[in-house]
Amino acid sequence: MFSDIFSWVIQLITQPGKAWRKLADKEETEEQFLSRFIYPLIGLVTIAAFVGILVTRKQFDSEVALKSAIVALVSAFGGFFLSAWSLNEIGHALLGRRKNMKQWQRFVGYSSVLMFSLEIVLSILPEFFFLRFFLLYTFYIMWEGAGPFMQVEEKERLKFVSVSTAVVLLMPAVINYLMVVFMPGLRV
């Protein structure tokens, strides 16, 4: 299972156009997508957040590591589902697309692979914070997926990808910020 996830992550990051064409033809149920791709990926983000605190701190502090894991889990999980729901609604209202939560979940999930991968790396190696700059590459990943996967017409592609990228990148950050503001005990 993890080798399959790793394969899709590498393909989506290195060859997004080719990967999206394969994903458009791939038949999978919502449950298969969630249980075989998104949940394990979010689990890896959560484990990396926990281990990252234990590895990067001078003293063993399981309380801080657990808080970090909770924030990472809620931000990734909530960010994914809230992004998919928001884009389902925004896509219908602004872009005139029909509502299809399953398709939006798949699009958001596969588009988020770079974000999840960077979260894993930066949890363990926080001194490489400048790698966050590469999150902008998510725009290109979504650009390549908009045509074959979401069947977006060329004239609507820029608006579609701009809105989608903004929602997918900002939603986990907003959730993270709100958790820290409203629950200061979770501040790491």
Side-chain angles (χ1 to χ4, degrees), residues 12 20 33 80 84 87 101-113 138-139 141-147 149-150 152 160-161 164-165 168:
L12 280 161
W20 280 114
F33 166 71
F80 165 72
L87 287 172
M101 190 61 166
K102 176 188 170 193
Q103 187 178 23
W104 278 109
Q105 282 182 342
R106 290 182 66 208
F107 184 68
V108 169
Y110 288 125
S111 297
S112 299
V113 296
T138 301
F139 182 87
I141 293 172
M142 288 185 149
W143 180 270
E144 289 293 321
F149 193 81
M150 295 298 286
V152 175
F160 174 86
V161 173
S164 299
T165 303
V168 167

Side-chain angles (χ1 to χ4, degrees), residues 96-152:
R97 301 188 59 80
R98 66 180 174 82
K99 291 186 177 185
N100 185 347
M101 190 61 166
K102 176 188 170 193
Q103 187 178 23
W104 278 109
Q105 282 182 342
R106 290 182 66 208
F107 184 68
V108 169
Y110 288 125
S111 297
S112 299
V113 296
L114 180 62
M115 183 175 58
F116 290 145
S117 300
L118 282 175
E119 281 300 317
I120 292 168
V121 170
L122 293 175
S123 292
I124 297 171
L125 303 168
E127 60 272 4
F128 291 107
F129 62 90
F130 58 88
L131 291 176
R132 289 210 185 273
F133 176 74
F134 290 108
L135 282 175
L136 297 176
Y137 184 70
T138 301
F139 182 87
Y140 179 69
I141 293 172
M142 288 185 149
W143 180 270
E144 289 293 321
F149 193 81
M150 295 298 286
Q151 290 84 38
V152 175

